[in-house]
Amino acid sequence: MDAYKKAGVDINAGYKLVDDIKNLSNNKDLGSFGGLFPLSLGAYKNPVLVSGTDGVGTKLLIAIKANLHKTIGIDLVAMCVNDVLAQGAKPLFFLDYLGVGHLDNEKAKDILAGVVEGVSQAQAKLVGGETAEMPDMYTHGHYDLAGFAVGIADQAKLLSKANPREGDVLLGLASNGLHSNGFSLVRDILFKQNTYSLNDRLAGCNRDLKDELLRPTKIYVKSVLPLVEQGTVASIAHITGGGLPENVTRILPDNLSAVFDYGSWQVPAIMKDLQKIGHLSFDDLLHTFNLGLGMVLAVHSGDADEVQSQLQAAGEIVSRVGRLTSGDKQVIIRKDQQ
Amino acid sequence: MDAYKKAGVDINAGYKLVDDIKNLSNNKDLGSFGGLFPLSLGAYKNPVLVSGTDGVGTKLLIAIKANLHKTIGIDLVAMCVNDVLAQGAKPLFFLDYLGVGHLDNEKAKDILAGVVEGVSQAQAKLVGGETAEMPDMYTHGHYDLAGFAVGIADQAKLLSKANPREGDVLLGLASNGLHSNGFSLVRDILFKQNTYSLNDRLAGCNRDLKDELLRPTKIYVKSVLPLVEQGTVASIAHITGGGLPENVTRILPDNLSAVFDYGSWQVPAIMKDLQKIGHLSFDDLLHTFNLGLGMVLAVHSGDADEVQSQLQAAGEIVSRVGRLTSGDKQVIIRKDQQ
């Protein structure tokens, strides 16, 4: 053990961290060989497990640069559970992987406290995780995070491409800023092409760059899942890397296109600032960022009012941002509506 | 998109990789928001999902140094599914996370081909994954891998601490060398304290260091799961970081200890070489490496012959390595048996 510690791996620090996380998450079973989740299947006729894995990309490098690690775990959970939700499934449980060069228990506790908070927002359970200390792999205080969420849905209730219809209304749910995508471009614009500091505040933003950039990704489970369970949502796109075009395309059947009326929702100031500072084309913006919409729901037109008001009652900022038309899987952004 | 590519992220290379993996894994559903796994529950009265996440530690740095990436994915799957198996569960599906600095599609394909091979050995299904390109996060061709496995068991058949009894026989299943633990110490001894090359061959080893160190972690599902399902295995310890002491302790109830007869199984030459070259104490060796046992099964004495011969028939090298005695959760290695 001494030799291993000298080689840079502190097994006892790892055990201490497991204890801390057990307390944080109120899950005393953490630390066994595998995480357990008993299935209650009463409500499911043909249960399907829906799983997703993701990281938070180089938003991590912002957290590291700012030395603020308490919310990046929320981003991690959000990226995974929103994907599960987008299939029409209820997130059940989550596991995290944290790779570090040197285990700093305080920092790791901050990171994992964010994971615990995210899992709570997703109404799920943290059943396990791995913190891997890897000397020489990560330098400069870098670390990587990967998350893994498993949800469940009845086969017949999975959101499929068979659901959306011509005339469906597209409801856009406001994002909480950049969420966890496009950060390599953000860093390039702010810190390579320019020399901004994380303490600077950009023109339209109401907080410092560090706080603006680290705003945690919104977790939509609590507001959207009840509507999925009611059956009033036809389809859901979680808007991540690739923006509206790539992500909305994934929910379109071959005979439909999605038309967005640009101007019908609010584009966050940070994105307009980045466009200006980075001399980005509108296409660059569109294909990299969420443009202010973290999730887009396709809803049959007769259900749209009711769904919109339920989402608003649940605290979401919801805009009617477009509709499905007959077409061939195009995502069209109409800018003449501005 | 151009701006994003200039900032170091090539979304199209990512899409190409997803297509490659779809072909490799024969799973056309990869690439949707979440991976789907329909549950067939006929056989389960009170199904419990058992999940595990892990990485492969700095064995990665050996793969990177040797530029050999085809088997590290097997290690990744092994680390996760063996943990799931150790709880008495049947692995169902797997997801992988690959974090890279710059996406090299050929290298990523090699890595993920190993994942596909591992998943096949585990008789599971690859339902999803994430390849994250993160400029500035990973340097020098470094990458990180995390895996997530989900399995299922009937509540009543989960292997618990209530199963092992005094007098149970400990059967040790041979490892395939170092597996995926202790590599920070391995690298320290061979490449920092000394100047070995990956093309060197150590005294007792029958292959070059690169091949010896990269021997993939054994996946025990195929041979061990049938015995678990028969109910003839009382408990399983997957021997990973911390070696026999830490991992066998985890299966012991408060009133039992495990006694191992050192010499009753073969310790791989690489470990003896490392001990000699690195001037390691026996304790260092014992607490860092698997000592040649990748998995230890506790079996009631009346079942031991039958279990041993079934495992051997399934291709495992099995040794009677010790027994459970009344005690207080100690793992004792008796060296006087040599």
Side-chain angles (χ1 to χ4, degrees), chain A residues 1 15 31 34-35 37 39 41 47 49 51 87 97 135-138 142 144 148 184 187 192 246 250 284, chain B residues 1 15 31 34-35 37 39 41 47 49 51 87 95 97 135-138 142 144 148 187 192 246 250 284:
Chain A
M1 269 190 301
Y15 292 149
F37 191 89
L39 275 176
L41 292 166
L49 296 179
S51 51
Q87 302 262 18
Y97 170 87
D136 307 319
M137 173 67 92
Y138 293 96
H142 285 187
D144 201 0
F148 170 67
S184 291
R187 292 182 304 111
K192 293 181 185 175
E246 275 80 349
R250 294 158 85 178
D284 281 332
Chain B
M1 267 187 306
Y15 292 150
F37 191 89
L39 275 177
L41 292 166
L49 297 179
S51 51
Q87 301 261 20
L95 296 92
Y97 170 88
D136 308 319
M137 174 68 93
Y138 293 96
H142 286 186
D144 201 1
F148 304 99
R187 292 181 305 110
K192 295 179 184 176
E246 275 80 348
R250 293 157 86 178
D284 281 332

Side-chain angles (χ1 to χ4, degrees), chain A residues 260-336:
Chain A
F260 285 82
D261 301 320
Y262 192 71
S264 63
W265 74 92
Q266 198 174 333
V267 176
I270 181 72
M271 295 176 200
K272 292 178 176 171
D273 285 337
L274 287 167
Q275 181 178 21
K276 200 171 153 194
I277 299 167
H279 308 290
L280 300 179
S281 69
F282 179 74
D283 246 33
D284 281 332
L285 208 64
L286 179 65
H287 285 265
T288 310
F289 301 116
N290 62 49
L291 282 192
L293 302 178
M295 196 159 257
V296 173
L297 276 51
V299 176
H300 299 328
S301 57
D303 297 326
D305 283 342
E306 176 61 22
V307 169
Q308 181 165 8
S309 67
Q310 282 193 40
L311 287 167
Q312 284 166 338
E316 299 292 347
I317 298 169
V318 191
S319 310
R320 292 198 176 211
V321 295
R323 75 215 68 85
L324 298 183
T325 62
S326 75
D328 55 349
K329 293 190 74 161
Q330 300 299 306
V331 174
I332 298 150
I333 314 288
R334 283 225 181 112
K335 296 193 68 180
D336 51 291

